[in-house]
Amino acid sequence: MIILGIDPGLRITGYGVIDTSLREPRLVEAGIIRPRISLTFEQRLLELYEGLVAVLTSTQPGLMVLEKIWVGARDPSSALVMGHARGVLCLAAAMQNIAVEHIAHTTVKRALTGSGASSKGQVKQMVMRTLRLEQTPEPDDVSDALAVALAQANLHRTVLLPIPV
């Protein structure tokens, strides 16, 4: 199965596509969608939509997985902006008839490292190790998106990932 992991954002949306049909997961494609800040809010949402449609069209995933929103109590307006971005991303997947799942960041950490309290660095190391990458995917949005895809694969046992000792 081809799984597209998404780390959603209106400024930068990270994506990572993995193929879990082999014995070990394989990186297909990863990158970012970065709408231009100079555009209006609506135009940025359109660029985000069009960017994801291009990724969906080129990679043909069977599943798209988005990291759930986590916003601290001090900045509720971030949740509203993130909600718009997530809505556009879900719409793009729906328009392409691609199933969508949502996963919490603590679930991602637990699925990759065995602990929901793992550091970002530990998660990155597991992404690199699992996909046999020589360098850390950059920026963090890409690494986070790959972690989302790998966690979903592990949770649904489409691939078994090693848990560090």
Side-chain angles (χ1 to χ4, degrees), residues 1-4 17 55-57 59-64 97-99:
M1 172 183 267
I2 304 292
I3 300 175
L4 168 62
V17 184
V55 171
L56 295 171
T57 302
T59 61
Q60 297 290 304
L63 177 66
M64 183 174 91
N97 293 314
I98 296 170

Side-chain angles (χ1 to χ4, degrees), residues 17-37:
V17 184
I18 62 169
D19 183 349
T20 63
S21 62
L22 304 173
R23 186 174 181 274
E24 293 182 359
R26 179 181 63 84
L27 174 66
V28 174
E29 180 180 324
I32 59 170
I33 302 167
R34 187 188 311 247
R36 292 172 287 166
I37 307 172

Side-chain angles (χ1 to χ4, degrees), residues 24-60:
E24 293 182 359
R26 179 181 63 84
L27 174 66
V28 174
E29 180 180 324
I32 59 170
I33 302 167
R34 187 188 311 247
R36 292 172 287 166
I37 307 172
S38 62
L39 298 176
T40 66
F41 182 71
E42 294 79 12
Q43 290 169 326
R44 290 170 64 202
L45 289 173
L46 178 59
E47 276 199 351
L48 181 59
Y49 174 85
E50 291 173 340
L52 184 60
V53 167
V55 171
L56 295 171
T57 302
S58 69
T59 61
Q60 297 290 304

Side-chain angles (χ1 to χ4, degrees), residues 57-135:
T57 302
S58 69
T59 61
Q60 297 290 304
L63 177 66
M64 183 174 91
V65 186
L66 284 104
E67 187 172 40
K68 288 182 180 177
I69 296 175
W70 184 90
V71 178
R74 294 184 195 180
D75 194 11
S77 63
S78 292
L80 294 173
V81 171
M82 184 66 73
H84 285 85
R86 287 176 54 82
V88 163
L89 296 167
C90 289
L91 175 64
M95 294 294 289
Q96 300 287 319
N97 293 314
I98 296 170
V100 177
E101 294 283 335
H102 305 270
I103 190 169
H105 72 279
T106 53
T107 305
V108 171
K109 291 177 179 183
R110 190 171 36 258
L112 293 182
T113 68
S115 170
S118 300
S119 71
K120 192 175 275 281
Q122 290 170 312
V123 173
K124 279 184 181 184
Q125 285 300 313
M126 283 306 296
V127 167
M128 289 178 59
R129 181 174 168 189
T130 304
L131 294 174
R132 299 182 184 268
L133 303 176
E134 293 180 15
Q135 294 181 335

